[in-house]
Amino acid sequence: SLAILVPDDGWRDQVYNQLNSAGIKVRKCDELIPGTITLDTIRRFKGLESRDVILVLDERSASSKELSYV
């Protein structure tokens, strides 16, 4: 399964709108919807796993020691 992890809720909303308008089904990490891409913030995804991950970083999240192990 594919997970797209973004820095914050604002990013998540923007990416969700773009993917949704392109007909791509996405879900938050705590929703179980087969055949969808997981789209959520880095913080919410901590402790979870995915086979493939696209990690989107901004300057603040790239320098965060707390998030660096993701």
Side-chain angles (χ1 to χ4, degrees), residues 4-8 11-12 15 39-43 54 56:
I4 302 172
L5 307 181
V6 296
D8 57 38
W11 274 84
R12 186 184 62 211
V15 174
L39 170 64
D40 219 321
T41 65
I42 300 166
R43 287 189 190 284
I54 297 173
V56 179

Side-chain angles (χ1 to χ4, degrees), residues 2-55:
L2 175 64
I4 302 172
L5 307 181
V6 296
D8 57 38
D9 292 336
W11 274 84
R12 186 184 62 211
D13 294 344
Q14 286 183 330
V15 174
Y16 174 85
N17 290 336
Q18 291 174 354
L19 293 175
N20 194 41
S21 68
I24 299 170
K25 297 179 182 180
V26 295
R27 65 179 178 90
K28 292 182 181 176
C29 65
D30 56 357
E31 298 173 331
L32 299 174
I33 305 170
T36 59
I37 294 172
T38 300
L39 170 64
D40 219 321
T41 65
I42 300 166
R43 287 189 190 284
R44 283 180 42 90
F45 197 77
K46 284 172 57 172
L48 301 177
E49 296 181 2
S50 182
R51 181 172 172 219
D52 301 297
V53 176
I54 297 173
L55 185 59

